Amino acid sequence: MSRPTVPETTTPTDLAPNPPSTAGALAPRPRRTSARALVDSVAAWVRRGGPHHLVFLLPTLVIFGVFSWTPIVRSVVMSFQKTNLVTPPTWVGWDNFQFVLNDPLLGTAVRNTLWFALLALIIGYPVPLVVAVLMSEVRRAKGLYSALAYLPVVVPPVVSVLLWRVFYNASPTGVFNTILGWVGLGPYPWLQDQTWAMPSLVLAATWAGAGGTIIIYLAALVSVPPELYDAAEVDGAGVWRKVWHVTMPQLRGVLFITLILQVIATAQVFLEPYLFTGGGPANATLTVLLLIYRYAFQNSLGGNYGAATALSLMLAVVLALFSLLYFRLTKSWSQ
C-alpha cells in the first residue's frame, strides 16, 4: 500500500483545518479593540498627570456646581410647584405656565422687551463700533480716551440713575430741555411720556454699557494687519472704504459675538426700567424681567415664586433657541 504524495508547494498551514468564517465568530474582535483603546487612553491620561489636574479642578467644579447649577435645577423644579418658600411646596404641574400665558401683562412685557432690544440694536450697537474706530485713528492720548470711554461702566448704577434723572428733568430747566430749547425744541416729558420713556431708557443704558464693548473693539482693531490699510491707501481708498472693506471683514467674528451678547442682555433688561420708571408710565416700560420681579416680590399677599420661575424658564428656553439658531445661520460667515 503506497503513502499519499504531498505537493511540493503545500505547507503545513495549508493542511490545517480552516477557521470558521461565520460573522458571529468575528464579532467580539472590535469590542476587544475598543476596550483596549479605552484602557490605553486612560493609561495615557494618568501618565500625563490627569488625576493631579482633576484634584486641582475639583474645588472649582464643586463651587460651580453648588452655586450655579443647583439654583438652576431648583428653579426648574419650583416652576412646577406652588410655594411661598416657608411652607412645604405643592406640586401643581403646568398651572404656573398656564397662569403666565393667560396673564394680559405678558404680551405687554414681551412687546416692550422687543422694542427695547430693537432700539438698542439701532442706537446702542453701532455707537461703540464707531467710537472704537475713531479712537483707533487717534495718535496721541489714546489711553486717556480709552479710560474716559470705560468710565461710565464703573459708575454705580444708582449714581448714574440720579445723574440721568437730572438730564431727563421734564421741566424747561432740565438739561436736555434746556439744550433743545436753544434751537426752539421742547420741552419734552421724557420719562413721564409713554412714547419717550423707552428711548430714554435705551439712551441711558447705551451710555452705561458701551465702554466695555468699545474696549473689546479696540483690542480687536489692534489685531488687524496694518499692511491691509497700506494696500487700501495705495489703491486710493478713503477712510470710509477702508473701514468698510478692511476693518469690518476683520472684525466680523467679534461683531457676531457682541451682537448675540447684546440681544441676550437686552432681552434681560431690568435695571433701567426698575430704577427709572418702575415699569411705567401705564406699563410702557414693563419688561419681561420686571414682570418676573413683580410675580416674585411685589405681591402683598405673598410672592408667586412658581409663576416667576416658570416665566424665567420660558425666557431661558427662548434665548437658548435664539442663540442656537443664530450660530447655525452664521456658522459659515464667522469662519
Side-chain angles (χ1 to χ4, degrees):
M1 183 176 181
S2 62
R3 301 176 59 183
T5 58
V6 178
E8 296 181 355
T9 56
T10 303
T11 63
T13 305
D14 297 330
L15 296 177
N18 294 328
S21 59
T22 59
L26 298 176
R29 190 170 183 177
R31 289 200 294 268
R32 288 200 300 269
T33 304
S34 301
R36 183 73 172 269
L38 178 61
V39 172
D40 293 342
S41 300
V42 173
W45 177 72
V46 172
R47 285 195 301 272
R48 289 195 300 267
H52 297 86
H53 300 163
L54 185 59
V55 169
F56 282 108
L57 281 176
L58 192 58
T60 303
L61 293 177
V62 171
I63 293 174
F64 184 79
V66 171
F67 292 100
S68 295
W69 282 102
T70 302
I72 294 175
V73 175
R74 184 72 182 92
S75 300
V76 173
V77 175
M78 192 183 295
S79 65
F80 294 96
Q81 294 176 335
K82 181 179 182 181
T83 177
N84 57 5
L85 301 181
V86 178
T87 58
T90 304
W91 187 265
V92 295
W94 297 97
D95 288 356
N96 291 325
F97 294 90
Q98 293 178 356
F99 172 81
V100 171
L101 294 175
N102 293 329
D103 189 353
L105 288 178
L106 178 62
T108 303
V110 171
R111 285 194 299 272
N112 291 337
T113 303
L114 293 177
W115 179 231
F116 184 93
L118 178 62
L119 289 177
L121 286 177
I122 296 174
I123 301 174
Y125 186 68
V127 168
L129 178 61
V130 173
V131 174
V133 171
L134 294 177
M135 290 175 60
S136 66
E137 297 295 329
V138 176
R139 302 303 177 190
R140 302 176 61 182
K142 186 179 294 185
L144 175 62
Y145 293 123
S146 300
L148 292 176
Y150 195 73
L151 183 61
V153 179
V154 300
V155 175
V158 176
V159 176
S160 66
V161 167
L162 294 175
L163 177 66
W164 280 90
R165 278 187 178 278
V166 175
F167 293 163
Y168 285 140
N169 192 335
S171 67
T173 58
V175 175
F176 286 160
N177 283 335
T178 300
I179 296 174
L180 293 175
W182 296 340
V183 293
L185 299 176
Y188 296 101
W190 303 113
L191 298 174
Q192 287 75 34
D193 184 78
Q194 296 185 34
T195 304
W196 287 97
M198 192 62 83
S200 301
L201 298 185
V202 172
L203 185 61
T206 301
W207 174 84
T213 311
I214 291 174
I215 297 301
I216 294 175
Y217 286 146
L218 285 175
L221 286 170
V222 173
S223 64
V224 179
E227 295 82 6
L228 298 178
Y229 293 108
D230 296 338
E233 288 182 357
V234 171
D235 292 338
V239 175
W240 169 248
R241 292 176 67 86
K242 286 193 293 185
V243 170
W244 185 254
H245 293 289
V246 177
T247 304
M248 296 296 287
Q250 294 295 319
L251 298 183
R252 186 167 51 185
V254 178
L255 290 173
F256 286 151
I257 295 298
T258 55
L259 177 62
I260 188 64
L261 291 179
Q262 175 158 344
V263 171
I264 293 175
T266 53
Q268 303 180 57
V269 60
F270 170 76
L271 192 63
E272 285 79 10
Y274 175 71
L275 293 178
F276 275 105
T277 60
N283 293 322
T285 57
L286 176 66
T287 60
V288 174
L289 241 63
L290 192 56
L291 183 60
I292 294 174
Y293 175 81
R294 287 185 177 181
Y295 284 156
F297 303 110
Q298 285 196 342
N299 191 339
S300 59
L301 300 178
N304 191 348
Y305 300 108
T309 53
L311 184 53
S312 302
L313 188 61
M314 294 164 63
L315 178 63
V317 170
V318 170
L319 291 179
L321 293 176
F322 172 78
S323 302
L324 180 63
L325 178 64
Y326 174 82
F327 279 110
R328 282 191 175 274
L329 292 177
T330 61
K331 184 178 180 180
S332 60
W333 302 349
S334 58
Q335 293 176 349

